[in-house]
Amino acid sequence: MNATVKPSQLIKGATGDWEIVIGLEVHAQVTSNSKLFSGASTEFGGEPNSHVSLVDAAMPGMLPVINEACIRQAVRTGLGLKAQINLRSVFDRKNYFYPDLPQGYQISQYKSPIVGEGEVIVDLDSGDSITVGIERLHLEQDAGKLLHDQHATMSFVDLNRSGVALMEIVSKPDMRTSEQAKAYVAKLRSILRYLGTCDGDMEKGSLRADVNVSVRKPGGPLGTRCEIKNVNSIRFIGQAIEYEARRQIGILEDGGPIDQETRLFDAVKGETRSMRSKEEAHDYRYFPDPDLLPLEFSQAYVDALKAELPELPDAKKARFIRDFALSPDDAGVLVSERESADFYEAVLGKLANAARDGKLAANWVINELFGRLNKDGHGIAASPVSAAQLAAIVDLIGDATISGKIAKDLFEIVWQEGGDPRALVETRGMKQVTDLGAIEKVVDDIIAVNPDKAAQVRDKPAMIGWFVGQVMKSSGGKANPQAVNDILKSKLGL
Ligand code: ADP
Ligand code: MG
């Protein structure tokens, strides 16, 4: 367990400081064409009950058949979480009644899950990182959906989701702040997307979290937890934790007990409220599903999947830092979403000299491109500037054809109008002046008309900035800044 709580992360109560303890159960929908035990489609948004096989509708006599693609995805996810892969696991029936569950039980894994202990490294805004332990990952079926708003007196059932494969990823109670919990979910989602095992779309319900929260005096024994069910955005996870921790502290400081219970998060009010207490907790009567044999595979099967895993964010980040001397922060920004990392790598692939200009390219992707995309509210997929165009702009800076300042103008032109950056530099006369004679002439002129300033600069060398500004202005921003600096220094005797 981490002991990474700083005093500033504790909550001040009337009786002293309190520490929050958080553990998450994340439900991630497996990316696969068909369901966990049937061939019906998993496509989102179909007509109600259009993706339902007889198995999903639990018709009598139907038998589940395991979908190997889902097993592969769970094993790959386990490997991405650096977790123990269990070569033998068991599917159990979790029995309960609800109208969206025609079988009367959910097929899940209880005592013998497919994936055991692992870990996720989570980088925080502060620059620190924490390691969150993974307790287990198991496979289970999703249920159907009830529609209450279609008819005045009746509810309808849509079984399209019934039987879709979910991975439940259970963390250890290793998080101590809402920021850590949010960063953990973001990192987990990023790993799943790199792996292609879950699309991570929280709005469509592909990823949702049960949030377990307790509080304790710093370093004391774990407190009683409450579980907030089905929170479906990262922001709400943070809000639910903040609210719930303060609610529990209030009760404890008034001398009351915390009842272990299941709660709901009300996003409108920003509150959690009780759903059911532990006493009302279901007894699910788990037992191994007699329709399914234990799931067994060989170590060779796991090794083959491991050999084909894509490079994951931590490894990519380390490589960017090593090969292109990026700062950990910049590398972290680039790898945090797979699309951003892919874009940066596409730029690298087009650069004339990636070893020299890789770092410059990272600055351009992060500051200019992401900045511009944010301003217009676009995602990277909708970027009007392609990786090839951005690489061409970086090349032009790298080989000193244009200055960084001119490059910003060029970027804006490419953003607005498109076009080949190298050709634009020619046709619009944007080339940098590196002709030393030409620059020297401008420098001489400016010194000649400002003799007073030229005299002062010897006592106040910082004034050289003013001269640089004048020269750049009179060259229309096209003078090579390094050359301007060098010539000014020698002419002004600095
Ligand atoms: P259950 O099966 O009843 O949900 P688990 O022991 O599997 O119980 O725990 C579920 C989740 O609750 C895990 O993510 C775990 O990290 C978290 N958890 C366990 N104890 C605590 C606690 N005292 N405070 C906060 N979270 C906890
Ligand atoms: Mg639970």
Side-chain angles (χ1 to χ4, degrees):
M1 199 173 292
N2 294 287
T4 51
V5 213
K6 296 180 186 151
S8 63
Q9 296 175 325
L10 298 171
I11 296 187
K12 302 243 170 302
T15 60
D17 289 342
W18 293 88
E19 181 184 13
I20 316 179
V21 175
I22 306 151
L24 297 180
E25 297 161 89
V26 170
H27 296 261
Q29 182 177 327
V30 174
T31 299
S32 69
N33 294 325
S34 50
K35 297 182 180 180
L36 184 53
F37 299 112
S38 86
S41 165
T42 57
E43 205 177 312
F44 180 80
E47 277 289 295
N49 298 311
S50 58
H51 302 319
V52 186
S53 77
L54 296 173
V55 174
D56 310 322
M59 289 296 149
M62 293 298 116
L63 287 175
V65 178
I66 188 86
N67 177 349
E68 203 220 317
C70 296
I71 302 302
R72 207 159 46 227
Q73 293 288 54
V75 172
R76 295 177 69 243
T77 304
L79 292 169
L81 301 175
K82 299 179 210 129
Q84 166 73 36
I85 307 297
N86 295 324
L87 301 181
R88 184 178 193 279
S89 63
V90 175
F91 286 101
D92 298 286
R93 289 187 180 179
K94 178 179 181 179
N95 299 280
Y96 67 96
F97 170 78
Y98 205 67
D100 65 6
L101 187 76
Q103 287 173 150
Y105 57 85
Q106 177 194 32
I107 304 178
S108 182
Q109 296 188 308
Y110 184 50
K111 288 201 176 124
S112 306
I114 185 166
V115 175
E117 292 189 331
E119 62 180 43
V120 175
I121 294 167
V122 181
D123 295 332
L124 305 168
D125 284 345
S126 59
D128 297 336
S129 63
I130 56 164
T131 301
V132 175
I134 298 294
E135 182 73 44
R136 58 190 266 154
L137 174 159
H138 65 255
L139 277 167
E140 62 186 31
Q141 302 174 297
D142 205 350
K145 189 170 142 195
L146 294 182
L147 307 168
H148 302 293
D149 54 0
Q150 312 279 312
H151 191 279
T153 58
M154 284 190 283
S155 289
F156 293 132
V157 187
D158 175 6
L159 294 181
N160 280 353
R161 294 187 71 101
S162 167
V164 166
L166 300 178
M167 297 180 281
E168 179 168 334
I169 302 166
V170 183
S171 86
K172 303 204 172 183
D174 283 352
M175 289 154 277
R176 296 290 175 270
T177 64
S178 58
E179 189 216 346
Q180 291 179 4
K182 290 195 292 182
Y184 163 74
V185 176
K187 180 65 179 284
L188 183 61
R189 183 177 60 177
S190 165
I191 292 171
L192 297 171
R193 285 179 169 164
Y194 270 77
L195 290 164
T197 57
C198 169
D199 66 23
D201 190 335
M202 298 186 86
E203 273 165 30
K204 289 185 185 161
S206 304
L207 194 84
R208 45 197 200 259
D210 297 344
V211 184
N212 294 273
V213 179
S214 66
V215 297
R216 65 176 176 184
K217 291 288 180 175
L222 285 179
T224 303
R225 73 188 149 103
C226 290
E227 176 178 5
I228 308 152
K229 277 280 177 203
N230 257 326
V231 189
N232 64 359
S233 91
I234 290 184
R235 192 161 55 90
F236 292 163
I237 289 172
Q239 288 175 1
I241 291 168
E242 292 295 328
Y243 178 88
E244 181 59 20
R246 284 174 173 78
R247 185 189 74 84
Q248 292 182 14
I249 292 168
I251 293 173
L252 291 169
E253 293 199 323
D254 283 346
I258 300 298
D259 297 323
Q260 187 173 342
E261 60 181 2
T262 304
R263 300 178 67 85
L264 281 179
F265 179 65
D266 180 333
V268 177
K269 294 196 177 132
E271 300 173 353
T272 65
R273 59 166 185 271
S274 185
M275 198 176 143
R276 58 174 185 258
S277 73
K278 192 71 183 175
E279 288 76 58
E280 298 163 58
H282 298 283
D283 178 353
Y284 293 114
R285 305 269 161 163
Y286 280 99
F287 64 87
D289 191 317
D291 290 341
L292 289 159
L293 289 169
L295 178 64
E296 291 180 351
F297 40 75
S298 65
Q299 187 59 42
Y301 174 79
V302 177
D303 293 344
L305 290 175
K306 188 169 187 177
E308 282 168 21
L309 285 189
E311 185 180 39
L312 293 174
D314 293 341
K316 212 179 267 296
K317 178 177 172 182
R319 182 166 59 84
F320 287 170
I321 293 171
R322 189 187 65 223
D323 290 357
F324 304 108
L326 302 195
S327 71
D329 272 2
D330 284 355
V333 168
L334 290 171
V335 304
S336 70
E337 294 294 340
R338 184 178 173 171
E339 294 74 22
S340 315
D342 285 350
F343 189 94
Y344 175 58
E345 297 209 74
V347 174
L348 288 174
K350 300 274 181 191
L351 287 177
N353 188 343
R356 182 192 66 195
D357 296 334
K359 189 178 169 75
L360 182 61
N363 290 338
W364 272 77
V365 171
I366 294 169
N367 299 320
E368 302 309 319
L369 182 69
F370 290 174
R372 194 68 173 80
L373 287 168
N374 278 341
K375 200 169 136 206
D376 281 21
H378 288 312
I380 192 133
S383 171
V385 176
S386 70
Q389 286 169 319
L390 194 70
I393 295 173
V394 173
D395 279 348
L396 288 162
I397 309 169
D399 64 21
T401 308
I402 58 174
S403 67
K405 188 160 174 304
I406 293 283
K408 292 188 187 187
D409 299 339
L410 178 60
F411 177 84
E412 192 57 30
I413 295 171
V414 177
W415 179 280
Q416 303 275 355
E417 304 168 24
D420 170 14
R422 210 166 266 282
L424 283 166
V425 164
E426 294 293 339
T427 54
R428 311 229 175 166
M430 300 175 91
K431 269 194 165 171
Q432 175 161 269
V433 178
T434 33
D435 172 352
L436 297 186
I439 297 174
E440 220 175 313
K441 167 134 197 351
V442 180
V443 168
D444 286 342
D445 289 351
I446 287 171
I447 292 177
V449 289
N450 296 285
D452 44 339
K453 289 212 166 63
Q456 286 169 8
V457 80
R458 268 161 223 122
D459 299 326
K460 279 207 246 162
M463 270 181 62
I464 192 168
W466 181 84
F467 280 95
V468 173
Q470 294 301 305
V471 178
M472 293 308 287
K473 201 163 135 198
S474 82
S475 74
K478 281 184 281 184
N480 178 326
Q482 190 57 51
V484 172
N485 250 300
D486 292 347
I487 293 171
L488 271 170
K489 276 191 184 147
S490 87
K491 298 257 172 189
L492 292 168
L494 296 176

